[in-house]
Structures are given as structure tokens and as C-alpha cells.
Amino acid sequence: MSTPNTGGQVHLKQEGDIAVITLDNPPVNSSTDAVRRGILAALGAIDINQTKAVVLTGAGNNLMAGADLRELENEPTEPTLPQVTSALESCPVPVIAVVKGHTLGGGLELALACDARLADAAATLGLPEVSVGVIPGAGGTQRLPRAIGLPAALDMIVSGKPVKAAKALELGLVDQLLSETEAEAQYTEILTYAQSYNGGKQPLSQREVAPANEAVLQAQAKKLISRSRGLPAAAAAAEVVLTAGKLSFAEAVAAERSQFLALRGSQAAQALRYLFFAERAEPYTPSQAIEPRPLKRVSIIGAGTMGSGIALCVLNCGYSVDLLELNPDALEAGVKRIEAELEGDIKRQRLTAEKRDALLARLNPTQDINSVAGTDLVIEAIIEDLDVKRSLFKNLAERVDENTLLATNTSYLDIDQIAADIPNPERVLGLHFFSPAHRMPLLEVVKSAATSEQTLTTASAFAKRLKKKAIVVTNSWGFVGNRLYAAYRRQCEFLLEEGASPEQIDAALEAYGFAMGPFKVGDMSGLDIAWRMRQQTADTRHLRRYVGIPDLLCEANRLGRKTGKGYYLYGDDNRPQPDPEVARIIANYRAENGIEAKPFSDEEIQQRAVIALINEALMLLSEGVCQRAADIDIALAHGYGFPRWRGGPIFIAQQMGRDALNSALDQLAAVSGKGHERGDANLLTPNADAAEE
């Protein structure tokens, strides 16, 4: 073994007649100016007369997990990644890429520019650029179709979804899986492969694209773009991928690069990068000096849809779980839901039967409340009734240790009242999961007036282990997510009252990028839930503008999908269909209240709904409900289907400029009527460029 030639973030080592180039840019070997320069320098330093093959690998766990996204904020500098992929492809001797860990984006483009690809069995490969608002910009849209065919390449690039190494081998994306897992043995296996490699140069740029049915490809592209809910990069990615085989490689790569450069500075790309960094920033915790308490055993009270979902989520992360439900039928149903989800994971090859059995062995279904003795954390997920929850907490406090954390999954109730009269109230907090709890990433960690820093730190560590996007909020009606959604839904009801139809409002907001319109969401959740809440606050209706249309629907037993009719009519296929009866109810309501219906454009509907979210976000900041402004956008993106590529209400407000924001808030106040509170635009620092316009 020769002495390594070390050059900053890229090292060159000669192993006999095999040259090994190692990327070394912790933590994930992301592409930077220094890395790109290092690769070119290493290629230039190789003595091709003494070298049979080159191995391109990465230090640590990854080959390269993609670009450093901060570079996308500035104009590209040379050497660019296309220059590096071109150099790899034109290297006089074969180059063998070692795909390991997360080999994504620019990392996979490097591997595609090599002549052969070895993969660690645990590797993940993908071109997820659309998820940050751009498309592959170093030949990925053209080399991947030549490696695996247009249909598979279209799916990987437009969806942005990565594939596991075994699937990559099946597709022909990699040539061989490494059998060794220990680092030194794997290195020897790689060198042995390189020594015996006799495939010569195999540049993908010179390979023909396998023919595919054009009509089928177009239909596939349309479906993939539809699933992206308006993400601009998805349509651009499909367009460029479909040029493979129609244009020369050079022409197609030039078109790819042009689209990449046009997208990188777009508002959608900026929004996605903003969320990317906001989600990875250190979450708010009260004190870095306080160590979280260890949690081993968690008790879930309530085996309904939410309780069983929380139990499954906690089980999946290695905890022992008591699932307590007094009703034996409900308990059995909860356990069956958990078992059914696990069976589904086995069928999707995400779980083995052995791991399922081990997981279920940690589940203790019980009807005995005394089983909570000795647990570290209790999470209640029972009905939204303050008196019932208070009684339960008092009961729990008599049976658990004084240090056991007591958490409520309430969506709206006052946690201070739930914790009233409980000994050691500093251990009480909210853990507000979103349904289905084992899938939805958002978790609100709610601090009551008495919650201690130790409790909050422990809960934050618990949320991290659950792999949730956790935001820390203070005790307030609806916390962050539900309060924002209530303001959004309320504004949509104002629009309904003023002249828009449920179908138009839903369609406009889905076109904006929301996963589902508000009235379809209401039907799916059940209109009676919000109805009960409105009845509880009926004595304060006179203080604010109130729309009675939802009440009329509920009084007509139109409670949503559960009754086959709500804002929409539902047939055997459970798909929403417009119902003339709803139009009649709305028209009669307007007539009785002297409201003359007026037309709205889709853009007006979108603007009203989004400004309502911005206004409520500003109210949350002014009241100190959340600790970081970006947490508001994280909550909406991960819990309410807000389009990620629009960033969120805080991001949008920051782009508007102070004058435009104040004008929009004034207009919202003018149309919202009695009881409307106007947010303070001065709480945000607008985008500098927007402020100058």
C-alpha cells in the first residue's frame, strides 16, 4: 500500500495498479467547490500508464449525499459538477464508483458518470432534486434513462423517491452488490473487483436509450406531475427526461442544465431550501444544560384510532408499551389495528415476520389501570372532554411515580385545567400527535404553565427518537396547527357565505397546492366534530362574525362521509360529488340573511385563505405561542398538507415586503368583519429584495 496523497477534502491513494479517489467532506461528503476541485485534481494526478482502474469512493458512510444546498443561493462557480462528471466519463481508464449510504443527487450523478457501479447492500440511490425545487443538473436526467430505461428513470426523477440497493441492482443501476459489510473486508472486496474488471470504458452517454411507448410515457409523466400537486420542478423534470433518445446527449444535457439554472433561483426552490434548513435546525429546547430523563416504558391510555396509532409509533422506536383500554371490544379492535398495520409492512417488505413478533412482544394490552405503575411516560388519547381528562389524570397521579411524565394528546383543551390539582404538575405537558399518528410526522410538544424544563427536554428527546418533526408550543387554544387551520377554515366559510361554492373553494386551494380542499377535509373528518365545538362556544358568537351554513348541514344530518353526505354527496366509491341540495341550503341561507352572492376568481380565494393564515401566524408570534417563526411553516407543511414548495405563511409574508403585507392585512380585516384581530407585520423581517421593491 502506498502513502496516501492527501489533498483537503479529496484523497488519492495508489493501491498497486488501482487508483483510489476518496471524497472526505464530513458529515455526508456533499458536493462543494473544494470537493469538485479535488476530484479533478486527483484525476489529473493519476499515472494512467501505471493504473488499470480508478475507484471512486467516500470516507464515512456515504459516497456523496448530494450538493451543499447553500451553494444554490449563489451563482455557480467552476468547476461545476457537469465538468466533473464529464472528466470522470472521459478518464482514459475505467472508473468504478462505490455506492454506499445515501448516494443521492450529485452523488448519483457522479456514479452514473463512472463505467461501473458497486453498491453496499444497505445503500440508497436517488435523484431527489425536485424535492428542493430543481432538477438534476449534471447529466442525471440523461444518463439514468440510459442505465435503467425511460419508465423507471421518469419515476425516480419526477417523484424524487430513492431506491434501495437491491432494487437498483434489479433495475441495472448498479452492477454488483458488495457481500462484505465490515469496512476493511469491503475495501479488499472492492480492490479485488477493480483488479479483475475487464469491461473497459462504458460511458452511459454513448449508450442508446431503450425504446418505450410514447403514449404510455406521457400518461406516466402526467400522473407523476399530478401527484406533485403543482411542484414546478416536477413538470420541468418530466419534460427534460422525455428528451432522452429524441435529442443527442449533448443537446439534452444542455437543455437539462438550462432548466436547472432557471429553477435554482425560483421562489419555489427558495421556499423548499428554507424548509429544508428550518427542519434541520436545532429544535427549541429550554436549556442545553439539562439532560433528558431516560424513558424505557410508555403507557398509552385509549385504544381508539389515535391511541393505537400512537402505540404503534412508540413500539416502532423500541419502547415497551402498555395499551390501556377499559372497553374490551375497543381494546381488541386497537390491537387488531396495530397487527394489521404491521402485516401491511411485511407485505411491503418493510418489516420481517421476526421483527413483527419481537415488536408485538413489547406490547401489553390491558384493561387494568394499575398497570401504569412503574411506567416512565403516560400519554392519554381519550375523548375530548375536560372533566373526563381531569378525572383520568387525577386517577393516574395516584398510581404512578411522582417523576412519571403525564402527557395529554388533546387538540384544543386547556392543559393547565387538565393538570389542576395534580401533585407535581411540572411533569404534565401536551404531546399532540396527528392522525394517523404512526405516519404523520408533526408532533406539538405543549408546555403548560407548570411544565418544567426537565420535562420539556425529556419530551423533546422522546419526539426526536420517534423521528417526528416536533415543535415546542405554549398552552393556548388549538396550539399552533389547529389554530392556524381554524383561521383558514373560517375564512373559507366567509367566502362560502359571500358567494363562492364549496367546489370552487376546494378546487382553487387544491390548485394552489393544498393536499385537499377545506370542505373535503371537513367531510372526511366529520362535520359533527366542529359542530360540537361551536355549540360549546355558542354564548360568545355575538362577539364575532359567524357563518351558520355548517350548522344547517349538520342539522340536516349531513355529517360528511360517515353519513354519505356533507358538503358533498358520496356514493359507493366514496368519491365527493357536488350536491344540488347543498347549493339550495347555501342559497336559502344567503337569501334569509340578505347576502347577495358575488363571484370570486380562484386567485382571490387563494389570496384570502393564505393571508388569513399569515394573519393568524402573526397573532401566534405576538402571543408567544411558538418559539420560532419557522415552526409555523413546519407545522403546516407536515400536519395540514400545505404545499412545501410555497414555504408556508411566514416564508410568504417575508417575501412580500412590509407595505404589501400591511395592505393585505388591512384588506383581510375589512372583509372579515366583527371580531377579527389584525396581526402585526412588524413582527417579521421582510425579505430584503422584496422590501426594496
Side-chain angles (χ1 to χ4, degrees):
M1 181 184 295
S2 66
T3 303
N5 173 13
T6 303
Q9 294 173 329
V10 178
H11 312 315
L12 174 63
K13 181 192 299 184
Q14 197 73 29
E15 299 275 17
D17 58 359
I18 305 299
V20 180
I21 299 174
T22 304
L23 312 186
D24 188 8
N25 181 27
V28 295
N29 296 332
S30 57
S31 173
T32 63
D33 279 349
V35 169
R36 295 190 294 273
R37 285 195 303 270
I39 295 172
L40 292 182
L43 287 170
I46 293 170
D47 183 348
I48 60 172
N49 295 316
Q50 303 296 321
T51 302
K52 179 180 181 181
V54 177
V55 169
L56 178 68
T57 187
N61 296 324
N62 308 291
L63 172 59
M64 177 189 283
D68 183 339
L69 292 184
R70 292 177 181 84
E71 284 196 342
L72 295 180
E73 301 294 336
N74 306 307
E75 289 300 311
T77 58
E78 293 191 348
T80 63
L81 196 60
Q83 290 172 320
V84 176
T85 55
S86 178
L88 286 167
E89 197 171 72
S90 60
C91 179
V93 296
V95 184
I96 300 162
V98 180
V99 174
K100 57 180 181 173
H102 296 294
T103 296
L104 305 172
L108 184 53
E109 289 186 292
L110 288 180
L112 287 166
C114 297
D115 301 289
R117 285 158 290 282
L118 295 176
D120 181 273
T124 300
L125 302 83
L127 293 173
E129 282 86 349
V130 293
S131 67
V132 288
V134 294
I135 66 172
T141 65
Q142 301 306 306
R143 289 190 177 94
L144 189 62
R146 287 165 167 80
I148 65 175
L150 271 165
L154 192 65
D155 186 65
M156 280 185 67
I157 294 172
V158 180
S159 73
K161 293 179 180 177
V163 297
K164 296 293 186 183
K167 181 66 175 178
L169 179 65
E170 178 187 324
L171 291 171
L173 180 51
V174 299
D175 300 284
Q176 184 173 307
L177 297 187
L178 295 165
S179 59
E180 299 289 348
T181 55
E182 193 274 326
E184 190 171 337
Q186 194 175 83
Y187 187 68
T188 300
E189 183 182 4
I190 292 164
L191 292 178
T192 301
Y193 179 90
Q195 280 284 353
S196 61
Y197 179 79
N198 57 9
K201 294 295 293 180
Q202 297 187 34
L204 285 169
S205 62
Q206 295 178 22
R207 187 184 295 184
E208 293 293 324
V209 179
N213 184 291
E214 181 67 20
V216 172
L217 286 174
Q218 291 292 342
Q220 180 188 0
K222 184 178 180 180
K223 187 174 183 179
L224 288 165
I225 293 167
S226 175
R227 288 176 182 170
S228 74
R229 301 204 312 271
L231 180 63
E239 178 186 340
V240 176
V241 171
L242 291 175
T243 64
K246 297 177 181 177
L247 302 177
S248 70
F249 182 82
E251 290 171 327
V253 164
E256 171 198 83
R257 190 67 180 173
S258 176
Q259 286 275 27
F260 169 82
L261 293 173
L263 287 166
R264 62 180 282 148
S266 67
Q267 184 122 325
Q270 292 178 46
L272 288 162
R273 290 197 295 270
Y274 155 81
L275 275 178
F276 179 91
F277 290 117
E279 289 161 354
R280 286 156 181 80
E282 192 65 30
Y284 168 79
T285 50
S287 173
Q288 299 296 329
I290 296 177
E291 287 292 321
R293 287 183 53 214
L295 302 177
K296 294 182 180 179
R297 184 176 152 210
V298 180
S299 296
I300 315 295
I301 313 295
T305 301
M306 181 59 79
S308 58
I310 296 172
L312 178 56
C313 176
V314 177
L315 280 168
N316 278 331
C317 293
Y319 294 96
S320 295
V321 174
D322 305 305
L323 182 60
L324 174 65
E325 171 62 66
L326 299 182
N327 183 314
D329 293 336
L331 180 60
E332 182 181 2
V335 173
K336 284 183 176 178
R337 270 191 294 270
I338 292 172
E339 291 173 342
E341 286 291 336
L342 295 175
E343 283 301 318
D345 286 342
I346 291 174
K347 289 179 181 177
R348 289 185 288 270
Q349 297 184 330
R350 297 175 182 170
L351 188 72
T352 64
E354 292 76 17
K355 288 185 177 179
R356 176 212 47 205
D357 294 343
L359 186 148
L360 288 174
R362 289 186 274 106
L363 176 65
N364 173 37
T366 179
Q367 293 175 250
D368 183 7
I369 194 169
N370 292 310
S371 66
V372 299
T375 196
D376 301 306
L377 165 65
V378 180
I379 305 172
E380 70 79 11
I382 61 173
I383 61 171
E384 282 286 271
D385 184 292
L386 180 61
D387 290 337
V388 174
K389 288 185 188 287
R390 288 187 65 175
S391 175
L392 173 63
F393 266 64
K394 184 177 179 181
N395 206 345
L396 290 170
E398 294 172 353
R399 288 168 168 77
V400 299
D401 184 82
E402 63 180 17
N403 293 318
T404 297
L405 271 58
L406 299 177
T408 173
N409 182 59
T410 183
S411 301
Y412 294 98
L413 298 177
D414 187 335
I415 298 176
D416 291 329
Q417 290 189 45
I418 292 173
D421 304 323
I422 299 295
N424 309 107
E426 67 277 1
R427 58 181 166 159
V428 178
L429 78 159
L431 288 175
H432 181 213
F433 290 79
F434 290 74
S435 186
H438 57 290
R439 290 183 187 154
M440 292 293 284
L442 182 63
L443 175 61
E444 290 179 314
V445 179
V446 189
K447 182 183 185 300
S448 74
T451 304
S452 69
E453 292 191 356
Q454 172 82 70
T455 296
L456 204 56
T457 301
T458 302
S460 296
F462 175 66
K464 185 175 183 179
R465 183 166 166 182
L466 296 185
K467 299 179 182 179
K468 295 294 187 183
K469 300 294 183 185
I471 61 171
V472 176
V473 303
T474 57
N475 184 30
S476 175
W477 182 89
F479 313 130
V480 167
N482 280 345
R483 179 164 159 187
L484 284 164
Y485 195 80
Y488 162 79
R489 186 183 63 231
R490 186 165 57 246
Q491 195 63 221
C492 291
E493 289 171 356
F494 292 169
L495 287 160
L496 185 67
E497 184 180 61
E498 293 168 28
S501 69
E503 301 83 45
Q504 185 194 7
I505 295 169
D506 280 350
L509 292 167
E510 287 168 10
Y512 184 82
F514 280 91
M516 188 182 289
F519 298 112
K520 289 179 184 175
V521 171
D523 277 0
M524 185 173 66
S525 302
L527 301 183
D528 51 325
I529 297 173
W531 190 29
R532 285 196 298 270
M533 290 178 56
R534 292 192 300 272
Q535 289 170 332
Q536 292 171 6
T537 58
D539 57 342
T540 61
R541 284 181 190 173
H542 64 285
L543 300 175
R544 62 191 184 278
R545 178 179 172 183
Y546 187 82
V547 178
I549 295 170
D551 294 345
L552 294 175
L553 295 178
C554 291
E555 289 165 9
N557 198 39
R558 303 185 67 99
L559 305 181
R561 291 190 182 189
K562 67 176 75 176
T563 57
K565 54 186 180 179
Y567 284 99
Y568 296 87
L569 193 64
Y570 297 88
D572 293 338
D573 60 1
N574 216 24
R575 291 185 178 181
Q577 299 294 332
D579 189 345
E581 178 63 16
V582 173
R584 186 190 65 77
I585 291 171
I586 294 171
N588 289 344
Y589 174 86
R590 291 175 185 149
E592 290 171 6
N593 288 275
I595 300 169
E596 184 176 345
K598 59 182 179 181
F600 287 94
S601 69
D602 288 355
E603 185 179 12
E604 286 174 317
I605 291 169
Q606 293 163 357
Q607 288 176 342
R608 284 269 295 266
V610 172
I611 294 300
L613 284 169
I614 290 173
N615 186 74
E616 200 66 25
L618 294 172
M619 297 296 297
L620 287 166
L621 291 177
S622 69
E623 296 168 22
V625 176
C626 55
Q627 309 303 313
R628 304 186 310 168
D631 284 346
I632 290 170
D633 292 342
I634 290 171
L636 283 175
H638 287 281
Y640 296 87
F642 193 92
R644 289 181 61 82
W645 57 276
R646 297 207 184 258
I650 295 296
F651 176 83
I652 294 167
Q654 289 171 331
Q655 308 305 304
M656 291 177 67
R658 188 67 49 80
D659 290 346
L661 179 56
N662 273 313
S663 175
L665 292 172
D666 287 342
Q667 290 175 33
L668 183 74
V671 298
S672 294
K674 183 171 59 175
H676 177 81
E677 293 184 78
R678 185 190 185 282
D680 182 4
N682 293 317
L683 292 170
L684 295 179
T685 303
N687 174 276
D689 294 334
E692 292 171 2
E693 292 176 359

